[in-house]
């Protein structure tokens, strides 16, 4: 009887700490743009703009200057200038983090340097005592 109660209590305790399944959704084109039958002209225009931007944003600066004009060129330049600024900021932050992780190492003093420092300190104390008299 005690064994059965002990087994049941262990089973109940283990199930109390069970891990729930994470809920996530995979966005597909039907979730983003809707079903093909329900598409409006605005959603079709948005999809066309999104597809065009996918092509534009991967161009090099020279190719963009040669191929694009007007609003597309302006949006390309704005996007890439913001990206370049962000990259320079992140490089600066990474440099600061590396400096804080690896502080400069001070070379330890040798035996002779410690003796010189002690002699300077003792002579300064002796000079101060002589001046105080």
């Amino acid at each position: 009887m005690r064994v059965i109660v002990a087994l049941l209590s262990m089973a109940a305790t283990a199930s109390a700490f069970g891990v729930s399944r994470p809920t996530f959704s995979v966005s597909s084109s039907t979730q983003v743009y809707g079903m093909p039958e329900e598409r409006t002209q605005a959603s079709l225009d948005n999809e066309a703009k999104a597809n065009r931007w996918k092509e534009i944003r991967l161009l090099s600066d020279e190719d963009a200057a040669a191929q694009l004009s007007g609003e597309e060129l302006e949006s390309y330049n704005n996007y890439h200038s913001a990206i370049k600024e962000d990259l320079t900021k992140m490089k600066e932050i990474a440099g600061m983090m590396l400096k804080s992780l690896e502080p400069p190492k001070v070379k330890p003093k040798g035996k002779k340097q410690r003796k010189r420092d002690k002699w300077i300190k003792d002579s300064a104390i002796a000079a101060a005592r002589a001046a105080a008299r």
Side-chain angles (χ1 to χ4, degrees):
M1 184 69 152
R2 292 181 190 172
V3 174
I4 294 172
V5 172
L7 289 175
L8 288 175
S9 66
M10 285 192 298
T13 305
S15 66
F17 294 105
V19 179
S20 64
R21 284 187 242 146
T23 58
F24 60 91
S25 63
V26 177
S27 64
S28 64
S29 62
T30 58
Q31 289 177 335
V32 174
Y33 299 115
M35 296 300 288
E37 305 86 33
E38 302 169 356
R39 304 283 301 269
T40 62
Q41 187 60 36
S43 69
L44 291 172
D45 292 341
N46 285 340
E47 183 179 8
K49 286 180 183 177
N51 290 335
R52 177 69 179 143
W53 180 247
K54 286 178 188 176
E55 298 169 2
I56 290 173
R57 72 183 180 97
L58 299 176
L59 295 174
S60 66
D61 290 339
E62 296 82 20
D63 292 340
Q67 295 177 11
L68 304 177
S69 63
E71 186 178 324
E72 288 181 343
L73 181 61
E74 182 180 343
S75 63
Y76 174 87
N77 289 334
N78 290 339
Y79 174 76
H80 280 278
S81 64
I83 293 296
K84 288 175 185 174
E85 289 173 10
D86 290 344
L87 284 175
T88 56
K89 287 180 187 177
M90 291 307 294
K91 286 179 183 177
E92 291 172 5
I93 291 171
M96 288 188 270
M97 290 174 65
L98 285 176
K99 285 181 185 176
S100 68
L101 289 176
E102 298 175 5
K105 295 183 179 178
V106 178
K107 190 174 179 181
K109 293 182 180 180
K111 184 177 180 181
K112 291 182 180 178
Q113 184 62 43
R114 285 195 305 267
K115 287 184 177 184
R116 283 187 218 111
D117 291 344
K118 184 176 185 296
W119 182 81
I120 291 171
K121 181 180 163 186
D122 290 345
S123 63
I125 290 172
R129 287 181 181 161
R133 287 189 184 169

